[in-house]
Amino acid sequence: MRDAHSGTGNVPQMAPAQTPPPLILASTSRYRRELLERLQMPFEVEAPGVDETPLPGEAPAALAQRLALQKAHAVAQRHPSAVVIGSDQVADLNGQAIGKPHTHERAVQQLRAMSGHSVVFQTAVAVVRHHAGMAEVRLSPVVVRFRDLSDVEIETYLRREQPYDCAGSATSEGLGITLLRNVESLDPTALIGLPLTTVCELMRLAGLDPLTAGATGGVSANTSPPMAGHGA
């Protein structure tokens, strides 16, 4: 007979903790990676490799949402059990889509066009988890009013910041803030490129709670190059 005080009797067994699904950021953007790191969750980075060319007549908001979802789906197909985040941002100037300039000359043209005007930065985020049949996309628009910019200011800013991988040629987290008059947004991280409040909401829908998923591990990158387009 077992000793009831020995601790070797019928002790209820704790159910093993469920391992959270892997989290993957389908983006090569350093800005989005740095934003996601704020949640203190282990995640991987993988290039989605999608063509970001706009469709004929495609509105900026529709373009951003389509690309965010395509990026997430592209990586989720390779990792069906993972929770995959895709995001895209398109600057919207009176219905005209303004993407990443990539060159100094195009950046000058973009800033001249936006000078003194309000621009809507259409930031879309999608979360896909193929095994769970989950695919959701949300839009977080940010209205930005640019100051009246002189050519000297534009040249000085571009030479110092070189924001050629940013939609609209301006980085609000850097010197680009000096070009702006005001910003209207429900989520300040949306302007940088990844609205974290929406990301958290969609991750919970996918079965991954940012608060309980743990803060161990780090960030690793899949270095597969993206396809030609506006970037990831």
Side-chain angles (χ1 to χ4, degrees), residues 13-18:
Q13 297 296 314
M14 298 293 293
Q18 289 188 344

Side-chain angles (χ1 to χ4, degrees), residues 7-192:
T8 59
N10 295 327
V11 179
Q13 297 296 314
M14 298 293 293
Q18 289 188 344
T19 302
L23 178 63
I24 303 177
L25 177 62
S27 175
T28 55
S29 166
R30 68 181 188 271
Y31 308 107
R32 295 190 179 104
R33 184 187 70 243
E34 291 168 358
L35 284 172
L36 192 57
E37 286 173 349
R38 295 186 188 182
L39 300 183
Q40 302 178 28
M41 299 173 63
F43 67 93
E44 296 183 356
V45 172
E46 186 167 328
V50 301
D51 185 354
E52 300 188 30
T53 304
L55 300 176
E58 190 171 27
L63 172 62
Q65 292 178 91
R66 177 177 64 83
L67 292 180
L69 200 54
Q70 282 188 354
K71 291 174 183 180
H73 272 303
V75 173
Q77 288 175 353
R78 302 192 287 265
H79 307 277
S81 64
V83 174
V84 182
I85 302 170
S87 187
D88 194 79
Q89 185 180 75
V90 180
D92 180 348
L93 177 60
N94 299 323
Q96 178 184 356
I98 299 177
K100 301 177 180 70
H102 296 300
T103 67
H104 180 84
E105 291 73 18
R106 288 197 62 186
V108 170
Q109 293 173 0
Q110 288 185 357
L111 290 177
R112 282 176 176 170
M114 295 186 295
S115 173
H117 294 282
S118 290
V119 179
V120 182
F121 284 80
Q122 305 284 6
T123 306
V125 61
V127 170
V128 172
R129 189 181 182 189
H130 275 188
H131 270 182
M134 188 266 192
E136 296 283 343
V137 63
R138 299 283 191 277
L139 189 67
S140 296
V142 181
V143 180
V144 174
R145 175 79 178 183
F146 280 80
R147 295 190 299 102
D148 292 321
L149 305 174
S150 68
D151 284 348
V152 172
E153 287 178 309
I154 290 173
E155 284 290 341
T156 301
Y157 167 70
L158 292 177
R159 296 300 182 188
R160 293 186 62 184
E161 188 98 294
Q162 300 185 19
Y164 307 128
D165 60 345
C166 299
S169 307
T171 58
S172 64
E173 69 275 21
L175 274 177
I177 199 69
T178 65
L179 309 181
L180 310 182
R181 187 176 301 279
N182 55 59
V183 178
E184 300 175 16
S185 173
L186 296 177
D187 185 340
T189 59
L191 186 55
I192 305 174

